[in-house]
């Protein structure tokens, strides 16, 4: 009976830790600001065709 209780409590603790880690990862991903979408190279006019 003790082993069953130990196994159940271990499973509950593991599920709680996994849920907490998942929520933490989602919170970290939402906390990062979006990067501006600016091109590295811009042309005033279209480049000449070869």
């Amino acid at each position: 009976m003790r082993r069953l209780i130990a196994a159940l409590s271990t499973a509950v603790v593991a599920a709680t830790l996994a849920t907490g880690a998942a929520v933490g990862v989602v919170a970290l991903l939402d906390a990062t600001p979006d990067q501006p979408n600016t091109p590295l190279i811009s042309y005033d006019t279209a480049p000449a065709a070869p």
Side-chain angles (χ1 to χ4, degrees):
M1 187 67 171
R2 286 186 179 249
R3 287 189 183 189
L4 180 62
I5 293 172
L8 287 175
S9 63
T10 302
V12 169
V13 169
T16 305
L17 286 175
T19 304
V23 169
V25 167
V26 170
L28 284 176
L29 289 176
D30 284 341
T32 57
D34 290 334
Q35 297 296 321
N37 189 14
T38 55
L40 295 176
I41 299 173
S42 62
Y43 296 103
D44 292 332
T45 59

